[in-house]
Amino acid sequence: MPEYPTSIGTSTPDSISLLGHDLASELLGQISFGELAYWLATKRRPTPGQLRMFEAVLVSLADHGFTPTAIAARLTYYSAPDSLQGAIAAGLLGGGSRFLGVTEDTGRYLHDAVATFGDTEAWTDADWDDAALVVLRKGKAAGAKVPGLGHPVHKQGDPRTPVMFALAEETGMKGPHLRLFEAIGRVHPEVLGRTLPLNGAGVAGAALADAGLPIDLLRGFALLARTAGLIGHLAEERETPIGPTVYAEVDRNARYTSPDVTGG
Amino acid sequence: MPEYPTSIGTSTPDSISLLGHDLASELLGQISFGELAYWLATKRRPTPGQLRMFEAVLVSLADHGFTPTAIAARLTYYSAPDSLQGAIAAGLLGGGSRFLGVTEDTGRYLHDAVATFGDTEAWTDADWDDAALVVLRKGKAAGAKVPGLGHPVHKQGDPRTPVMFALAEETGMKGPHLRLFEAIGRVHPEVLGRTLPLNGAGVAGAALADAGLPIDLLRGFALLARTAGLIGHLAEERETPIGPTVYAEVDRNARYTSPDVTGG
Amino acid sequence: MPEYPTSIGTSTPDSISLLGHDLASELLGQISFGELAYWLATKRRPTPGQLRMFEAVLVSLADHGFTPTAIAARLTYYSAPDSLQGAIAAGLLGGGSRFLGVTEDTGRYLHDAVATFGDTEAWTDADWDDAALVVLRKGKAAGAKVPGLGHPVHKQGDPRTPVMFALAEETGMKGPHLRLFEAIGRVHPEVLGRTLPLNGAGVAGAALADAGLPIDLLRGFALLARTAGLIGHLAEERETPIGPTVYAEVDRNARYTSPDVTGG
Amino acid sequence: MPEYPTSIGTSTPDSISLLGHDLASELLGQISFGELAYWLATKRRPTPGQLRMFEAVLVSLADHGFTPTAIAARLTYYSAPDSLQGAIAAGLLGGGSRFLGVTEDTGRYLHDAVATFGDTEAWTDADWDDAALVVLRKGKAAGAKVPGLGHPVHKQGDPRTPVMFALAEETGMKGPHLRLFEAIGRVHPEVLGRTLPLNGAGVAGAALADAGLPIDLLRGFALLARTAGLIGHLAEERETPIGPTVYAEVDRNARYTSPDVTGG
């Protein structure tokens, strides 16, 4: 007989078990949705500090206004209002390398670097600065970009960044990923020859890594956060739609040029 | 010039505004992800009671084990491990009438009934029972099914149901939708001739309605909750995959019969 | 043991059977993709007339320029260029009631009417006109819209319509659905008080029904046709992208108004 | 004013232009759906040979039985029967690196090799064998896998392969990609030390490249082909569903083990 292993949950006619706990008597009304999301992804209950950081990251990533993915979701809802799930799915499908990738790319970049450091427990800021210089120089020699550095709008500093660092300090969650990222923020002008802000989406990746979330699923948390944002956009699309205007504007300003049809 | 109205958020080079508040100084680290999700969907900040119920509902809906949608997400991840967003989207696309519909259908059913009642502020349980009888009889005459009544596994009672009612009582959030659903739970044997449990997913719909969430988006909250569950399933699929076994089993037990090919 | 029945195909180490035929020796290079698509959907090989109409319908539905679904697919590709399947899926998800629904709605409307007619083999155009009047009057009394009537751009006549009717005549495929739709085109001014063109997407629905395709899957053929169109749009997006401009324009013309935040 | 360039199509109140041709008078009923799909993707009308190969490839890729993607589509349809587009989209979302990747990977592998060869017009089979040996040895030294070599079921030879080569010969479409792949089929035992069949999905990639389709969109054609297969599966799912059985079997054979809950 085939077997389908799982540790997520199971149920009997009179009980539902989730993550080794009784859903009704131990979880419902007692943990936040964010806590459950963390727990489901890791099979570990977060510490208060981990949870605080995780919820803050989700809040920071939930919405970025009229992103291409929000517009795609609204256009899909306009075309197929009978399928809310389709509109949300369409919005999430844009969660790839270009727009949601910063969080994941930064987390992985820092993770790969930190993995080579050995014990950093006693490192001072100066030690982190030295390490950051090594990482940045190695990357520069290889022609690699530093993910999470720079922001198209917040050129003088992403307002989320200092708040997330302060929160990590306060909760005791400033681990090696945030420390290295912070050091990169301090020393990169020396290597790159110009000063760039630490992107809030990059800080999110570092914070998730320090909060114990798996590197390979960082994109997933950005998608979870974005699901809440997409519901907000679709709720607003019901009241003050932009889909019809986007469509009309693209159609109106279409510039048709005949294809160079070979053999046509 | 076209205009694209929005009240969700806006940003300047040095600030990000979300829902009329400064993201960095007023929201980050200060509200839970669940609170933000509520706020985004309604443009209203939830009261503590509303938030408590909303988070409890999300927790109750996040995972139901190996549902068809969880299996579909895992199979998609197995086929296309390079696109986490595709696997999550595939899982959400099953969030339609059959599997995620109970929450929405129950909420709407109760909402439509409640809308006909006038002021129910002073109603006693007996008043609600009378109203429930009227609703059930009218539905029976029309041959309509009562959504949210009955559960394929929890035949003697869904363990989530009493906890959700107790929580609503405790938080002062037992409004007309939950009251009517509770009354339906009491009186339906008289009309239907058999006793069925109140489904937890149905209670979720009633609770969301009483917590002030828009009826037309109830499915969206089930989808948000399920996104967390799907991330859990995909995290587990990375460790102990079931996709290959599902595929092998279906393939191995395929029973091929020749089509009746006309003109073939 | 569970059994998974199928008549689509099966394979052994040295052969592949599809629809009861040997793929390699009987199908490859011998049937068109359109013929296979028809055959897969119906388990019947199409007659030459059915195939000709089916391919014509697919050609007529493949592309409609910068539709909301094409724009959504392009925006998704812009956000996640690493997942072509995600961009195509996002485009298809808009294939719901509003934009791709005309084909399906018209097919079903005609099908439901035709099902009440009995044997129409010997009907003359005058008989069809009488039947159309009855159908239209019944619909008007019930306040129902006639699907497939009218077009936002082609107000004086959809250029696809006469060609599709001529093709159906030529191939002997003008069955009851097209005949009734044609009659509706003749007599509706008498009932509705104004003259509207027969929409090409509606004709497509009637033609698919007459060509023997299942009514419940008509939307599927519109989606198949649209997949080819979406690939065209994504190929073009690689060369001359519009995604970044759509995003920039919406962002630039966003009009932010503060939400009425209760308790915020 | 923004401009949205396109050469796909345009329309006026009384005409529709597609790819520089009048849809109604020049295309409808005159070209196959396969021809239009080729044309849309390349902006070039295919030659008869290119079209014959393109349609044959689509036929060869349309269905592979109960693949993970077909099962995912069926499960999604079972959960959300109200959204055919969602079920098709879910099926396509599995069209990633593992299951639909062979066509794309093989095409790109051959394309990259061929690009280094210069003029191969006058090459004999012996020349191609020499070239294949160089390519294979270079790949072996780099530890790279040869895509399109080997098949899990058709271990002694994929039945599609010889037919596709014969068809390419017959239509004059055996270009450098197919020739190199054929040579790899002849000489790889010398380098790899074992004999593997040329996979039909790999041949499809080579054939598409020789037929002039863009390498970067090869996955798209596999997805187009698969859309027809998915419609076949969903049509069958309506008649003889497997979704409920897959669900029941996974649920029945779930093996629950308690998570190692830290701090839980």
Side-chain angles (χ1 to χ4, degrees), chain B residues 3-4 6-7 253 255 257, chain C residues 3-4 6-7 253 255 257:
Chain B
E3 284 201 338
Y4 302 103
T6 187
S7 298
N253 295 303
R255 178 169 49 79
T257 51
Chain C
E3 284 200 337
Y4 302 103
T6 187
S7 299
N253 295 303
R255 179 169 49 80
T257 50

Side-chain angles (χ1 to χ4, degrees), chain C residues 18 33 36 40, chain D residues 57-64 225-230:
Chain C
L18 189 61
F33 176 56
L36 181 63
L40 279 163
Chain D
V57 167
L58 293 180
V59 168
S60 81
L61 296 178
D63 190 71
H64 291 170
R226 208 44 78 88
T227 304
L230 289 169

Side-chain angles (χ1 to χ4, degrees), chain A residues 3-4 6-7 253-255 257, chain D residues 3-4 6-7 253-255 257:
Chain A
E3 284 200 337
Y4 302 104
T6 188
S7 298
N253 296 303
R255 179 170 48 81
T257 50
Chain D
E3 285 200 337
Y4 302 103
T6 187
S7 299
N253 295 303
R255 178 169 51 79
T257 51

Side-chain angles (χ1 to χ4, degrees), chain A residues 219-257:
Chain A
R219 183 183 294 193
F221 304 113
L223 293 165
L224 173 61
R226 209 44 78 91
T227 303
L230 289 169
I231 291 171
H233 277 278
L234 297 173
E236 190 170 87
E237 186 71 12
R238 295 176 62 87
E239 303 299 325
T240 51
I242 70 155
T245 309
V246 173
Y247 172 35
E249 282 298 304
V250 174
D251 196 49
R252 191 166 69 86
N253 296 303
R255 179 170 48 81
Y256 178 73
T257 50

Side-chain angles (χ1 to χ4, degrees), chain D residues 232-256:
Chain D
H233 277 278
L234 296 173
E236 191 171 88
E237 185 71 12
R238 295 176 62 87
E239 303 298 324
T240 52
I242 69 155
T245 311
V246 173
Y247 171 36
E249 282 298 303
V250 173
D251 196 49
R252 191 167 68 85
N253 295 303
R255 178 169 51 79
Y256 178 73

